[in-house]
Amino acid sequence: MGSSEKNILVTGGAGFIGTHTVLQLLKEGFKVSIIDNLDNSVVEAVDRVKELAGPELSKKMQFHVGDLRSKADLEKLFSGTKFDAVIHFAGLKAVGESVANPRRYFDNNLIGTINLCEVMVKYNCKQMVFSSSATVYGQPDKIPCVEDFELKAMNPYGRTKLFLEEIFRDIQKAEPDWRIILLRYFNPVGAHESGKLGEDPKGIPNNLMPYIQQVAVGRLPELNVYGHDYPTTDGSAIRDYIHVMDLADGHIAALRKIFEDPNIGCTAYNLGTGCGTSVLEMVTAFEKASGKKIPVKLCLRRPGDATAVYASTKKAEKELGWKAKYGVEEMCRDQWKWASNNPWGYRSKP
Ligand code: NAD
Ligand code: UFG
C-alpha cells in the first residue's frame, strides 16, 4: 500500500510540532485526521496548514475537536475511519505547571494515552509513533545521550513521559503485534519556512527560543539567562536545538519504519542534531538572523536544569535513515520569519 492510501490519526495535530508534521504528511501523500481539544492551540493554525497544503491536499485532512480523556470522542473517530497508524502528540508539556499541578498532568497525559490505546486495540490499529522527550534522560551522567542510557525523571511532566514509555514497552511485550516507536525529541525550535506556522505559547514562554522571539518583537523587555557559571565555554547551559521541520520529517521516517518492519517492537530513537549550543550562542545567532538586539540579564541557574544535554543521532541515522538537515542559523532564520510576520502568534494584538 502506498502512502496515498494510508490513513493516519494525529492527536494534538493543531499544536506546534503537530501542525508542521501534518503538513509534511499531506505532502507525502498520507490522509490525515487530527484530534485536538485546543487546550494549547487554535483553529487558525489548522487553517494555515490547509492554506499551505493547497486545496487538493487539504481535502485529505479532517479536523475534529475532541479530547483523548473522552472515550466517546475517540470512539466517534475510530468507528468512522480505519486508521493505519497513530502519531500521538497530544499532551501537556509545561514543566513548571506540572510541578504545581501534577494531577492535571497525570490525568491528561496518562489517562488520555491509556484511553487511546484501548480504543486502538478495539479497532485493531496497533501502530503508534509517540512523542517522548529528552527529559527521560534527566541530568545525564554522560553526553551524548544514547538510547540505552538509564532513564530518570526530574518532574511530574518528565514522569508522564517516562511512565508512558514504560507502559508502551509493557503493552508491546504482552501483545507483540503492536509496533511502537518512541521519539525522544531534544529541543524543538524554528518554524515553517513560509513564516505561516510556528510556536505560539500562551502566556509568558517557559522555553528559551519563544522567549527570545518575544523580546525581539518587543513583547518582553529582556531575556533572563538562567546560569552563567556552568562549566561550559561561556558559562551558559548547552542544549541540542532541532528545527521543527527536521522533527516533522523524523516522524515520517518513523512511520515508514513502522509500516516496513514487522520486528520493530517498541523502539526508542533520539531526534536531535547531535550538536550542543549554549544559551548565549543561541542569543547571538538570533540577533544575527533578526538584526535585533536581545538585551540579556545574567541570572541564577534554573532549578533542575542540566549543564549540557545533546543527542547521539547514530541510531536514528542507521535505522530510520533520518538525519537533521538544518543548523542553528536556519532555525533562527525561520523562527524570525514567523515572529516578524506574526508578532502575536496566531492571534491579533490584544
Ligand atoms: P503543543 O502544546 O503545541 O501541542 C500539543 C497539542 O495537544 C495541543 O494542540 C493541545 O491542545 C493538544 N492536547 C493536549 N491535551 C489533549 C487532550 N487531552 N486531548 C486532545 N488534545 C490535547 O506542544 P508541542 O510542542 O507540539 O508538543 C507535542 C508533543 O511533543 C507533546 O506530547 C510534548 O510533550 C512533546 N514534546 C515537546 C517538546 C517541546 O519542547 N516542544 C519537547 C519534547 C517533547
Ligand atoms: N533558558 C534561559 N532563559 C529562559 C528560558 C530558558 O536561560 O527564559 C535556558 C534554560 O535555563 C536552559 C536552556 O535555556 O539552559 C533551554 O531551556 P528550555 O526551557 O528552552 O528547554 P529545556 O532544555 O529546559 O527543556 C525543554 C522542554 C522540556 C523537554 C526538554 C527536552 O521544556 O519539556 O526540552 O526535550 F523535556
Side-chain angles (χ1 to χ4, degrees), residues 122-183:
K122 181 167 172 191
Y123 289 89
N124 197 27
C125 168
K126 294 186 174 180
Q127 317 211 81
M128 154 101 86
V129 177
F130 172 64
S131 299
S132 185
S133 166
T135 195
V136 298
Y137 295 115
Q139 301 216 20
D141 299 331
K142 281 185 291 183
I143 32 177
C145 299
V146 181
E147 285 85 346
D148 61 7
F149 275 11
E150 190 196 334
L151 304 180
K152 320 170 237 212
M154 309 281 294
N155 51 61
Y157 163 72
R159 262 181 285 286
T160 67
K161 292 295 177 195
L162 184 54
F163 292 164
L164 286 170
E165 281 209 3
E166 298 291 15
I167 287 170
F168 284 127
R169 280 186 276 272
D170 285 342
I171 290 177
Q172 202 284 327
K173 205 175 193 180
E175 299 165 25
D177 53 337
W178 276 88
R179 298 186 196 182
I180 303 172
I181 288 186
L182 312 169
L183 294 178

Coordinates of all heavy atoms in Angstrom, one line a residue, residues 122-183:
K122 N -9.4 -1.9 20.3 CA -10.8 -2.2 19.9 C -11.0 -2.2 18.4 O -11.6 -3.0 17.8 CB -11.8 -1.3 20.6 CG -13.2 -1.6 20.3 CD -14.1 -0.9 21.3 CE -15.6 -1.1 20.8 NZ -16.5 -0.2 21.5
Y123 N -10.3 -1.2 17.8 CA -10.5 -1.1 16.3 C -9.3 -1.6 15.6 O -9.1 -1.3 14.4 CB -10.8 0.4 16.0 CG -12.1 0.8 16.4 CD1 -12.3 1.3 17.7 CD2 -13.3 0.6 15.6 CE1 -13.6 1.7 18.2 CE2 -14.5 1.0 16.1 CZ -14.7 1.5 17.4 OH -16.0 1.8 17.8
N124 N -8.5 -2.5 16.2 CA -7.4 -3.2 15.6 C -6.4 -2.3 14.9 O -6.0 -2.6 13.8 CB -7.9 -4.3 14.7 CG -6.9 -5.3 14.4 OD1 -5.9 -5.5 15.2 ND2 -6.9 -5.9 13.3
C125 N -6.0 -1.2 15.5 CA -5.0 -0.3 15.0 C -3.9 -0.3 16.0 O -4.1 0.2 17.1 CB -5.5 1.1 14.8 SG -4.2 2.3 14.4
K126 N -2.8 -1.0 15.8 CA -1.8 -1.2 16.8 C -0.4 -0.7 16.3 O 0.6 -1.3 16.6 CB -1.7 -2.7 17.2 CG -3.0 -3.2 17.8 CD -2.7 -4.6 18.3 CE -3.9 -5.2 19.1 NZ -3.6 -6.5 19.6
Q127 N -0.4 0.5 15.6 CA 0.8 1.0 15.2 C 0.8 2.5 15.6 O -0.1 3.3 15.3 CB 0.9 1.0 13.6 CG 0.4 -0.4 13.2 CD 1.1 -0.9 11.9 OE1 2.2 -1.4 11.9 NE2 0.4 -0.7 10.8
M128 N 1.9 2.8 16.3 CA 1.9 4.1 17.0 C 3.3 4.8 17.0 O 4.3 4.1 17.3 CB 1.4 3.9 18.4 CG 1.9 4.9 19.5 SD 0.6 6.1 19.9 CE -0.2 5.2 21.1
V129 N 3.3 6.1 16.7 CA 4.6 6.9 16.9 C 4.2 7.8 18.1 O 3.3 8.6 18.0 CB 4.9 7.7 15.7 CG1 6.2 8.6 15.9 CG2 5.2 6.8 14.5
F130 N 5.1 7.8 19.1 CA 4.8 8.6 20.4 C 5.8 9.6 20.6 O 7.0 9.4 20.5 CB 4.7 7.6 21.6 CG 4.6 8.3 22.9 CD1 3.5 9.1 23.2 CD2 5.6 8.2 23.8 CE1 3.4 9.8 24.4 CE2 5.5 8.9 25.0 CZ 4.4 9.7 25.3
S131 N 5.3 10.8 21.0 CA 6.2 12.0 21.4 C 6.8 11.8 22.8 O 6.1 12.1 23.7 CB 5.4 13.3 21.4 OG 4.8 13.6 20.2
S132 N 8.0 11.2 22.8 CA 8.7 11.2 24.1 C 9.6 12.4 24.1 O 9.4 13.4 23.3 CB 9.4 9.9 24.3 OG 9.9 9.9 25.6
S133 N 10.5 12.4 25.0 CA 11.3 13.6 25.2 C 12.7 13.3 25.8 O 12.8 12.3 26.5 CB 10.6 14.5 26.2 OG 11.4 15.6 26.6
A134 N 13.7 14.2 25.5 CA 15.0 14.0 26.1 C 14.9 14.2 27.6 O 15.8 13.8 28.3 CB 15.9 15.1 25.5
T135 N 13.8 14.7 28.1 CA 13.6 14.8 29.5 C 13.7 13.4 30.2 O 14.1 13.4 31.4 CB 12.2 15.4 29.9 OG1 12.2 15.8 31.2 CG2 11.1 14.5 29.6
V136 N 13.5 12.3 29.5 CA 13.7 11.0 30.1 C 15.1 10.6 30.4 O 15.4 9.6 31.1 CB 13.0 9.8 29.3 CG1 11.5 10.0 29.1 CG2 13.7 9.7 27.9
Y137 N 16.1 11.4 30.0 CA 17.5 11.2 30.4 C 17.8 11.9 31.7 O 19.0 11.8 32.2 CB 18.4 11.6 29.3 CG 18.3 10.8 28.0 CD1 17.9 11.4 26.8 CD2 18.6 9.5 28.0 CE1 17.7 10.6 25.7 CE2 18.5 8.7 26.9 CZ 18.0 9.3 25.7 OH 17.9 8.5 24.6
G138 N 16.9 12.8 32.2 CA 17.2 13.5 33.4 C 18.4 14.4 33.2 O 18.6 15.0 32.2
Q139 N 19.3 14.4 34.2 CA 20.6 15.1 34.1 C 21.6 14.0 33.8 O 22.1 13.3 34.6 CB 21.0 15.7 35.4 CG 20.0 16.7 35.9 CD 20.6 17.9 36.6 OE1 21.8 18.2 36.4 NE2 19.9 18.6 37.4
P140 N 21.9 13.8 32.5 CA 22.7 12.6 32.1 C 24.1 12.7 32.7 O 24.7 13.8 32.7 CB 22.7 12.7 30.6 CG 22.3 14.1 30.2 CD 21.5 14.6 31.3
D141 N 24.6 11.5 33.1 CA 26.0 11.5 33.6 C 27.0 11.6 32.4 O 28.1 12.1 32.7 CB 26.3 10.1 34.2 CG 25.3 9.8 35.4 OD1 24.9 10.8 36.0 OD2 25.0 8.7 35.6
K142 N 26.6 11.2 31.2 CA 27.5 11.3 30.1 C 26.7 11.9 28.9 O 25.5 11.8 28.9 CB 27.9 9.9 29.6 CG 28.9 9.2 30.5 CD 29.3 7.9 29.8 CE 28.2 6.8 29.9 NZ 28.4 5.5 29.5
I143 N 27.4 12.6 28.0 CA 26.8 13.0 26.8 C 27.7 12.6 25.6 O 28.9 12.5 25.9 CB 26.6 14.6 26.7 CG1 27.7 15.3 27.5 CG2 25.3 15.0 27.1 CD1 27.7 16.8 27.5
P144 N 27.2 12.4 24.4 CA 25.9 12.5 24.0 C 25.0 11.4 24.7 O 25.5 10.3 25.1 CB 25.9 12.3 22.5 CG 27.2 11.5 22.3 CD 28.1 11.9 23.3
C145 N 23.7 11.7 24.7 CA 22.7 10.7 25.3 C 22.4 9.6 24.3 O 22.1 9.9 23.1 CB 21.4 11.4 25.5 SG 21.5 12.8 26.7
V146 N 22.6 8.4 24.7 CA 22.4 7.2 23.9 C 21.1 6.5 24.4 O 20.8 6.5 25.6 CB 23.6 6.3 23.9 CG1 23.4 5.1 23.0 CG2 24.9 7.0 23.5
E147 N 20.3 6.0 23.4 CA 19.0 5.5 23.7 C 19.0 4.4 24.8 O 18.0 4.3 25.5 CB 18.4 4.9 22.4 CG 17.8 5.9 21.5 CD 18.9 6.5 20.5 OE1 20.1 6.2 20.7 OE2 18.5 7.1 19.5
D148 N 20.1 3.7 25.0 CA 20.0 2.7 26.1 C 20.5 3.2 27.4 O 20.7 2.4 28.4 CB 20.8 1.4 25.6 CG 22.3 1.7 25.4 OD1 22.7 2.8 25.7 OD2 23.0 0.8 24.9
F149 N 20.7 4.5 27.6 CA 21.0 5.0 28.9 C 19.9 4.7 29.9 O 18.7 4.5 29.5 CB 21.1 6.6 28.9 CG 22.4 7.1 28.4 CD1 23.4 6.3 27.9 CD2 22.7 8.5 28.6 CE1 24.7 6.8 27.5 CE2 23.9 9.0 28.2 CZ 24.9 8.2 27.6
E150 N 20.3 4.7 31.2 CA 19.3 4.6 32.2 C 18.3 5.8 32.2 O 18.8 6.9 31.9 CB 20.0 4.6 33.6 CG 19.1 4.2 34.7 CD 19.8 4.6 36.1 OE1 21.1 4.6 36.1 OE2 19.1 4.8 37.0
L151 N 17.0 5.6 32.4 CA 16.1 6.7 32.3 C 15.7 7.2 33.7 O 15.6 6.4 34.6 CB 14.8 6.2 31.6 CG 15.1 5.6 30.2 CD1 13.8 5.1 29.5 CD2 15.8 6.6 29.3
K152 N 15.5 8.5 33.8 CA 15.1 9.1 35.1 C 14.2 10.3 34.7 O 14.2 10.8 33.6 CB 16.3 9.8 35.8 CG 17.6 9.0 35.8 CD 18.7 9.8 36.3 CE 19.8 9.9 35.3 NZ 21.1 9.9 35.6
A153 N 13.4 10.7 35.7 CA 12.5 11.8 35.5 C 12.8 12.8 36.6 O 13.1 12.4 37.8 CB 11.1 11.4 35.5
M154 N 12.7 14.1 36.3 CA 13.1 15.2 37.2 C 11.8 15.9 37.7 O 12.0 16.8 38.6 CB 14.0 16.2 36.5 CG 15.1 15.6 35.8 SD 16.4 15.2 36.9 CE 16.9 16.9 37.5
N155 N 10.7 15.7 37.1 CA 9.5 16.4 37.5 C 8.3 15.7 37.0 O 8.4 14.7 36.2 CB 9.6 17.9 36.9 CG 9.9 17.8 35.4 OD1 9.1 17.2 34.6 ND2 11.0 18.3 35.0
P156 N 7.0 16.1 37.4 CA 5.8 15.3 37.0 C 5.7 15.2 35.5 O 5.3 14.1 35.0 CB 4.7 16.1 37.7 CG 5.3 16.7 38.9 CD 6.7 17.1 38.4
Y157 N 6.0 16.3 34.8 CA 5.9 16.2 33.3 C 6.8 15.1 32.8 O 6.4 14.2 32.0 CB 6.2 17.5 32.6 CG 6.6 17.4 31.2 CD1 5.5 17.1 30.2 CD2 7.9 17.5 30.7 CE1 5.8 17.0 28.9 CE2 8.2 17.3 29.3 CZ 7.1 17.1 28.4 OH 7.4 16.9 27.1
G158 N 8.0 15.1 33.2 CA 9.0 14.1 32.8 C 8.5 12.7 33.2 O 8.7 11.7 32.4
R159 N 7.9 12.6 34.4 CA 7.4 11.3 34.8 C 6.3 10.8 33.9 O 6.3 9.6 33.6 CB 6.9 11.3 36.3 CG 8.0 10.8 37.2 CD 7.6 10.8 38.7 NE 7.5 12.1 39.3 CZ 8.6 12.8 39.6 NH1 9.8 12.3 39.5 NH2 8.5 14.0 40.2
T160 N 5.5 11.7 33.4 CA 4.4 11.2 32.4 C 5.1 10.6 31.2 O 4.6 9.5 30.7 CB 3.4 12.3 32.0 OG1 4.0 13.3 31.2 CG2 2.7 12.9 33.2
K161 N 6.2 11.2 30.7 CA 6.8 10.6 29.5 C 7.5 9.3 29.9 O 7.4 8.3 29.1 CB 7.9 11.6 29.0 CG 7.3 12.9 28.4 CD 6.5 12.7 27.2 CE 5.8 13.9 26.7 NZ 4.8 13.7 25.7
L162 N 8.1 9.3 31.0 CA 8.8 8.0 31.4 C 7.8 6.9 31.7 O 8.0 5.8 31.2 CB 9.6 8.3 32.7 CG 10.5 7.2 33.3 CD1 11.4 6.7 32.2 CD2 11.3 7.7 34.4
F163 N 6.7 7.2 32.4 CA 5.7 6.2 32.7 C 5.1 5.7 31.3 O 4.9 4.5 31.1 CB 4.5 6.8 33.5 CG 4.9 7.1 34.9 CD1 4.0 7.9 35.7 CD2 6.0 6.6 35.5 CE1 4.3 8.2 37.0 CE2 6.3 7.0 36.8 CZ 5.5 7.8 37.6
L164 N 4.8 6.6 30.4 CA 4.2 6.2 29.2 C 5.2 5.4 28.3 O 4.7 4.4 27.7 CB 3.7 7.4 28.4 CG 2.4 8.1 29.0 CD1 2.1 9.4 28.3 CD2 1.2 7.2 28.9
E165 N 6.4 5.7 28.3 CA 7.4 4.8 27.7 C 7.3 3.4 28.3 O 7.3 2.4 27.5 CB 8.8 5.4 27.8 CG 9.1 6.5 26.9 CD 10.6 6.6 26.5 OE1 11.4 5.7 27.0 OE2 11.0 7.5 25.8
E166 N 7.3 3.3 29.6 CA 7.3 2.0 30.2 C 6.0 1.3 29.9 O 5.9 0.1 29.7 CB 7.4 2.1 31.8 CG 8.7 2.8 32.2 CD 10.0 1.9 32.0 OE1 9.9 0.9 31.2 OE2 11.0 2.2 32.6
I167 N 4.8 2.0 29.9 CA 3.5 1.4 29.6 C 3.6 0.9 28.2 O 3.1 -0.3 27.9 CB 2.4 2.5 29.8 CG1 2.2 2.8 31.3 CG2 1.1 2.1 29.1 CD1 1.3 4.0 31.6
F168 N 4.1 1.6 27.2 CA 4.2 1.1 25.9 C 5.1 -0.1 25.8 O 4.7 -1.1 25.0 CB 4.7 2.2 24.9 CG 3.7 3.3 24.6 CD1 4.0 4.6 24.8 CD2 2.4 2.9 24.1 CE1 3.0 5.6 24.5 CE2 1.5 3.9 23.9 CZ 1.8 5.2 24.0
R169 N 6.2 -0.1 26.5 CA 7.1 -1.3 26.5 C 6.3 -2.5 27.0 O 6.4 -3.6 26.4 CB 8.4 -1.1 27.2 CG 9.4 -0.3 26.4 CD 10.7 -0.2 27.1 NE 10.8 0.9 28.1 CZ 11.1 2.2 27.8 NH1 11.5 2.5 26.6 NH2 11.1 3.1 28.7
D170 N 5.6 -2.3 28.1 CA 4.8 -3.5 28.7 C 3.7 -4.0 27.7 O 3.5 -5.2 27.6 CB 4.1 -3.0 30.0 CG 5.2 -2.9 31.1 OD1 6.3 -3.5 31.0 OD2 4.9 -2.3 32.1
I171 N 3.0 -3.0 27.1 CA 1.9 -3.4 26.2 C 2.4 -4.2 25.1 O 1.9 -5.3 24.7 CB 1.1 -2.2 25.7 CG1 0.3 -1.5 26.9 CG2 0.2 -2.5 24.6 CD1 -0.4 -0.3 26.5
Q172 N 3.5 -3.7 24.5 CA 4.1 -4.4 23.3 C 4.6 -5.8 23.6 O 4.5 -6.7 22.8 CB 5.2 -3.5 22.7 CG 5.4 -3.7 21.2 CD 6.2 -5.0 21.0 OE1 7.1 -5.4 21.8 NE2 6.0 -5.7 19.9
K173 N 5.2 -5.9 24.9 CA 5.7 -7.2 25.3 C 4.5 -8.2 25.4 O 4.6 -9.3 25.0 CB 6.4 -7.0 26.6 CG 7.4 -8.0 26.9 CD 8.0 -7.6 28.2 CE 9.3 -8.2 28.6 NZ 9.7 -7.6 29.9
A174 N 3.4 -7.7 26.0 CA 2.3 -8.6 26.2 C 1.5 -8.9 24.9 O 0.9 -10.0 24.7 CB 1.3 -8.0 27.2
E175 N 1.5 -7.9 24.0 CA 0.7 -8.1 22.7 C 1.7 -7.7 21.6 O 1.8 -6.6 21.1 CB -0.4 -7.1 22.7 CG -1.4 -7.3 23.9 CD -2.4 -6.1 24.1 OE1 -2.6 -5.4 23.1 OE2 -2.9 -6.0 25.2
P176 N 2.5 -8.7 21.2 CA 3.6 -8.5 20.2 C 3.2 -8.0 18.9 O 4.1 -7.6 18.1 CB 4.3 -9.8 20.1 CG 3.7 -10.7 21.2 CD 2.4 -10.2 21.5
D177 N 1.9 -7.9 18.6 CA 1.5 -7.4 17.2 C 1.5 -5.8 17.2 O 1.4 -5.2 16.2 CB 0.2 -8.0 16.7 CG -0.9 -7.8 17.7 OD1 -0.6 -7.7 18.9 OD2 -2.1 -7.9 17.3
W178 N 1.7 -5.2 18.4 CA 1.9 -3.8 18.4 C 3.2 -3.4 17.7 O 4.2 -4.1 18.0 CB 1.9 -3.2 19.8 CG 0.6 -3.0 20.4 CD1 -0.2 -3.9 21.1 CD2 -0.1 -1.7 20.5 NE1 -1.3 -3.3 21.6 CE2 -1.3 -1.9 21.2 CE3 0.1 -0.4 19.9 CZ2 -2.3 -1.0 21.4 CZ3 -0.9 0.6 20.2 CH2 -2.0 0.3 20.9
R179 N 3.3 -2.3 17.0 CA 4.5 -1.7 16.5 C 4.6 -0.3 17.0 O 3.7 0.5 16.6 CB 4.6 -1.7 15.0 CG 4.5 -3.1 14.4 CD 4.7 -3.0 12.9 NE 4.3 -4.3 12.2 CZ 4.4 -4.5 10.9 NH1 4.9 -3.5 10.1 NH2 4.0 -5.6 10.4
I180 N 5.6 0.0 17.9 CA 5.6 1.3 18.5 C 7.0 2.0 18.4 O 8.0 1.3 18.7 CB 5.2 1.2 20.0 CG1 3.9 0.5 20.2 CG2 5.3 2.6 20.7 CD1 3.5 0.2 21.6
I181 N 7.0 3.2 18.0 CA 8.3 4.0 18.0 C 8.1 5.2 19.0 O 7.2 5.9 18.9 CB 8.7 4.4 16.6 CG1 9.1 3.2 15.8 CG2 9.8 5.5 16.7 CD1 9.7 3.5 14.4
L182 N 9.1 5.2 19.9 CA 9.1 6.3 20.9 C 10.2 7.3 20.4 O 11.3 7.0 20.3 CB 9.5 5.8 22.3 CG 8.8 4.5 22.7 CD1 9.5 3.9 24.0 CD2 7.4 4.8 23.0
L183 N 9.7 8.5 20.1 CA 10.7 9.5 19.6 C 11.0 10.5 20.7 O 10.2 11.1 21.3 CB 10.1 10.3 18.4 CG 9.8 9.4 17.1 CD1 9.2 10.3 16.0 CD2 11.1 8.8 16.6

